[in-house]
Amino acid sequence: MMDVPAQVVYSRPESLTSTPTTYCPGCTHGIAHRLVAEVLDEMELRENTIGVAPVGCSVFAYNFFNCDFVEAAHGRAPAMATGIKRVLPDRVVFAYQGDGDLASIGMAEIMHASGRGENITVIFINNAIYGMTGGQMAPTTLPGQKTTSSPDGRDVEQAGYPLRMVEALATMQGTGYAVRRSLHDPKNIRLAKKALRMAFEVQTRGLGFAIVELLSSCPTNWGLTPKESLKFIEERMIPVFPLGDFKVHPALEGLRV
Amino acid sequence: MARELLEGNRAMAEAAVRAGVQAYFGYPITPQTELLEWMSKRMPELGRAFLQAESEVAAINMIYGAACTGVRVMSSSSSPGVSLMMEGISYIAGTELPVVLIDVMRGGPGLGNIAPSQGDYNQIVHGGGHGDYFPIVLAPSSVQEAIDFTVMAFDLAEKYRALTFVLADGNIGQMMEPAELPPMQPVDRPIPDWAVRGAKGRERRILSSIYIRPEDEEVTNLRLLERAGKIKENEVRYKEYFLDDAEIVVVGFGTAGRVAFSAVRAARAQGIRVGLLRPITLSPFPSEAVAELAAHAQAMLVVEMNSGQMLDDVLRPVAGQIPVEFYGRLGGVVPFQDEVLTEIERIAHHPPTIEFDPREKWIRRMKEILN
């Protein structure tokens, strides 16, 4: 055995508190939180940032992020973020929202924040279900997917089709950045982090509204093991929600993060 | 400052500007739109935040966010729009943020109409949003009061970290009369130590209305209740007219109070010993003043532009000591001075008795009046 000097290669980002998260085992919220925190650390934004938590599983996000935080009403995080950003334009403001929050009850607020080119960053967690209330159908629930409020599977004739939010938001002139990533394996997690970094770069450069949609798992409400859940994302969700860059502001061209 | 001919909505907007409002978010709705329009010009030219929101729902949540930064913020709307704001209003109350809101009331329920009304009394004074909370509510009866109360609303909101309403009606918002604007206050006010502006060199701060443990929420509720008690101790405001020897006491707020004042003066000219109590704070309500008057007067008359929403707040402190009569016009109808005078004359010449429900008696009379 050789003596190797101890070297810290992995630790908790300063932008995360030491509070253990309240997320279920296998849920990818924790990964998303860590990625956001790493980006805030790397860009040295922690002390200049105000986060806006949603209603849903991440309602307690403010307990886990080590920066100033406010807690919005269901779906209203983009409006609340707008109010903060308009008073304090030199601060970094991000909203963290789930699919029910952003794509259902908060549809008006997210579309108009984007339309205004509101210079905020939105992290959109899409797990195709309402987690906090116990697994009801979300606007992003897949066709045929069983939930507690679509017990026979989502019938598109009756309940309509899943909403593709970043594609819709990419059509808005005020959007500077709209991409979809996934958290189902290490490679995609690394790509997700780069996208989050870009989304904060968009804000600090004043390039408009930025959103990163992250396909996420919900083993508890999907009725799958954590491992099966990651497979579900890859095999079932990605065909409906393709990964990719739907809008990237031309000023970001050549930016390597 | 000199007196100028000012319209209520624009005067309230300019009063807020001079009181140092740093952010205004709103949505057009008659009869308060001129307020939003004034802000759309004034706020940007002063380098302050203005935004026409996509809805009243968004407007109130923008206000919620802006208030978290610790600066003076305001929104305004009219009845249906205020209904839409109720969710955010409850969150703001639960987060204990100083916010000023102006409701220029119109006829309802539903889409109703755009004529002056006082139909939002219960919604604003007794809540409307979910949960236990107690806003401060100020009721102007002239353009001058609309200006003064807007400025006062910011001071009270800040002093108590409380939601403060200026509850006006379409008359106050739309009419023009001579009034004096206050001097311009500096905007670089001290930032409170709870404000969320980025955790530079300090511990992070969180502003939220969530208390997941019921025991914590109960403590919060008690704190709100205690604060309401303190506000009641210190801030009850009302105007008294001809009350020293009054046998009949008229009670009315805002435009109804102003119409009642003219009727009281006309009745005095006839030798009727009548006076007027005009509440300025509808919350906290001047219950003690009402109780005091009830101990000496022979009858009361409550005049409102609704179905008697304040009437219940008058009946409580009167506590059956003397008969209370009610006269209201509804749905956007403003009572004429003569109608109120007729009521005062009726009470003076045919003293009422306690045993009848004032609202039922009024409905019977209304049918006769309308037929």
Side-chain angles (χ1 to χ4, degrees), chain A residues 62 68-69 71 91 116, chain B residues 197-198 202 204-205 210:
Chain A
Y62 54 78
D68 273 10
F69 239 90
E71 167 57 48
R91 304 302 199 280
R116 286 191 302 267
Chain B
R197 300 167 72 88
R202 60 158 170 78
R204 76 201 166 103
R205 290 180 189 152
I210 193 169

Side-chain angles (χ1 to χ4, degrees), chain A residues 144-192:
Chain A
Q145 186 183 342
K146 285 185 183 174
T147 71
T148 62
S149 58
S150 57
D152 299 322
R154 182 178 188 157
D155 172 6
V156 295
E157 294 297 322
Q158 190 263 344
Y161 297 88
L163 300 180
R164 297 191 178 106
M165 289 306 298
V166 281
E167 285 89 333
L169 290 163
T171 66
M172 309 294 273
Q173 278 180 287
T175 295
Y177 191 67
V179 305
R180 182 180 291 118
R181 299 289 185 267
S182 173
L183 299 174
H184 73 276
D185 65 20
K187 179 191 163 199
N188 280 284
I189 288 169
R190 290 181 70 85
L191 292 172

Side-chain angles (χ1 to χ4, degrees), chain A residues 171-252:
Chain A
T171 66
M172 309 294 273
Q173 278 180 287
T175 295
Y177 191 67
V179 305
R180 182 180 291 118
R181 299 289 185 267
S182 173
L183 299 174
H184 73 276
D185 65 20
K187 179 191 163 199
N188 280 284
I189 288 169
R190 290 181 70 85
L191 292 172
K193 184 179 166 186
K194 284 186 180 221
L196 290 167
R197 172 74 189 252
M198 289 292 265
F200 280 97
E201 294 281 354
V202 167
Q203 182 170 172
T204 56
R205 287 153 197 257
L207 299 177
F209 177 85
I211 181 166
V212 178
E213 176 174 337
L214 298 172
L215 300 185
S216 297
S217 65
C218 184
T220 301
N221 289 302
W222 290 352
L224 301 174
T225 66
K227 204 172 163 191
E228 288 166 349
S229 296
L230 298 176
K231 215 167 166 190
F232 183 90
I233 295 177
E234 187 176 11
E235 291 175 2
R236 297 283 307 279
M237 284 186 78
I238 291 176
V240 178
F241 299 109
L243 307 183
D245 296 353
F246 299 94
K247 187 166 185 186
V248 178
H249 196 287
L252 295 170

Side-chain angles (χ1 to χ4, degrees), chain B residues 155-211:
Chain B
D155 294 336
L156 289 173
E158 235 163 54
K159 184 173 174 188
Y160 295 101
R161 262 185 86 168
L163 188 55
T164 304
F165 282 93
V166 177
L167 188 63
D169 62 60
N171 254 345
I172 307 294
Q174 297 285 325
M175 74 181 176
M176 294 183 83
E177 60 182 353
E180 189 179 339
L181 284 162
M184 190 69 113
Q185 290 186 32
V187 289
D188 54 340
R189 314 176 62 78
I191 297 295
D193 60 9
W194 46 260
V196 156
R197 300 167 72 88
K200 202 172 186 78
R202 60 158 170 78
E203 287 292 297
R204 76 201 166 103
R205 290 180 189 152
I206 296 162
L207 285 172
S208 167
S209 66
I210 193 169
Y211 296 91

